[in-house]
Amino acid sequence: MSAPATERAEAATERTSAADDAAERGSLDIDRAVLRKIAEHAADGVSGTTRAPRRIVGVGVGTQGSSARLTGPDRELRVRLDLALRYPAPVRDTVREVRERVREELSRQAGCRVTAVEVTVSALVPAPKRDRVE
């Protein structure tokens, strides 16, 4: 065997033993609250989403970002999102990007397969008004 082939074989053996070591360490369980936070954070990071004013009995109590509910088995999740969009963001394009980002992040960070992402746009929030200079 040539020197580069020997190095490749040794590297492959090291990767295999690292995977075996990981399997021997135990299992990983990710709490649903963590998965929910990953989905919410992914949705809030999409351009066009925004925080909506939050009111209780007509009194403003701050703002809130998207909220998610997860159903289904841990490795085949269904995600329901409720979020606000910045007006006049293109709703269909923004929602499509939210769905993609949520799927990608749950897969990348937690190894979850997302079977569906249902999105409810609960508010369209206008961009803040800029002061006019005359």
Side-chain angles (χ1 to χ4, degrees):
M1 225 188 270
S2 67
T6 303
E7 290 173 7
R8 284 194 301 266
E10 289 173 359
T13 302
E14 289 174 14
R15 282 193 302 269
T16 303
S17 68
D20 292 341
D21 290 344
E24 290 176 10
R25 286 191 292 253
S27 64
L28 171 65
D29 293 320
I30 301 173
D31 191 80
R32 285 292 176 114
V34 173
L35 297 176
R36 181 178 51 81
K37 287 292 187 182
I38 291 170
E40 291 170 348
H41 184 72
D44 287 342
V46 172
S47 177
T49 63
T50 190
R51 299 183 67 79
R54 185 170 171 220
R55 298 185 179 279
I56 297 178
V57 192
V59 177
V61 291
T63 61
Q64 70 180 29
S66 63
S67 67
R69 286 187 176 173
L70 307 177
T71 57
D74 286 346
R75 298 298 178 212
E76 292 188 5
L77 294 175
R78 293 180 59 86
V79 179
R80 289 185 184 163
L81 284 167
D82 187 332
L83 52 84
L85 298 182
R86 193 169 298 120
Y87 181 80
V91 175
R92 287 182 190 268
D93 294 341
T94 305
V95 169
R96 182 180 316 113
E97 189 174 343
V98 165
R99 285 185 176 118
E100 289 171 7
R101 177 82 56 89
V102 167
R103 277 192 173 100
E104 289 170 3
E105 288 301 305
L106 282 168
S107 174
R108 183 180 70 81
Q109 293 185 33
C112 293
R113 182 174 162 271
V114 177
T115 59
V117 179
E118 299 172 14
V119 178
T120 300
V121 177
S122 58
L124 291 175
V125 180
K129 293 181 181 178
R130 294 187 228 165
D131 292 334
R132 295 180 68 172
V133 177
E134 294 184 28

